[in-house]
Amino acid sequence: MQNYAIRLRATVDEQGALIKALLTHPMESGFRKNASGESAAAHYITDITLRINDETVLTLLTGSGIAANPLFGWRIAGVRSGDTVTVVWRDNLGNARTQTASAQ
C-alpha cells in the first residue's frame, strides 16, 4: 500500500479546539473509466474516528463521493492545551491509518 499520511493540527483557543485533518487518499469511487474504458477499482475511506485523550468524540461514516485528499475540520469544546488528539481512518480495502497530535 502507498504511504497515505494524515496531517493533523489541533489549535486551542477560548472556545475549545479547532482540529484539522488532511487525509492523503485517492478516494476512487469505482465509477470512473480509464483510457481503455475499464472501470477503476473502488478505493475510498469508509469511516473516520476522532478521539480526545483516548475517548471517542465522533465517528464519521463516509463514502465514495468525497474528493481525493479530503480536509476535515471540527470545532470541539472542552479541549485544553496538551490534550491528545487522535484521528483514525479505515478504507474499503481494509487499510487503516492513525495520527496523534498534542493540542496546542
Side-chain angles (χ1 to χ4, degrees):
M1 181 178 147
Q2 293 182 358
N3 184 17
Y4 299 132
I6 300 173
R7 293 182 62 193
L8 179 61
R9 184 183 336 185
T11 307
V12 177
D13 59 20
E14 61 278 349
Q15 297 175 351
L18 176 59
I19 300 167
K20 293 182 181 180
L22 177 63
L23 313 180
T24 304
H25 198 280
M27 298 300 287
E28 181 57 57
S29 68
F31 298 112
R32 189 176 56 85
K33 305 260 187 230
N34 62 19
S36 62
E38 300 170 344
S39 293
H43 187 197
Y44 55 88
I45 294 172
T46 57
D47 62 274
I48 301 164
T49 302
L50 174 65
R51 296 186 192 120
I52 308 295
N53 297 326
D54 292 324
E55 181 180 338
T56 299
V57 294
L58 70 86
T59 299
L60 182 66
L61 302 178
T62 61
S64 63
I66 297 175
N69 303 321
L71 173 65
F72 291 91
W74 303 279
R75 169 71 64 184
I76 307 292
V79 178
R80 294 183 177 89
S81 185
D83 285 353
T84 301
V85 177
T86 304
V87 171
V88 179
W89 65 251
R90 290 174 193 70
D91 69 17
N92 67 317
L93 300 181
N95 302 309
R97 286 290 184 272
T98 302
Q99 183 66 46
T100 301
S102 179
Q104 299 186 14

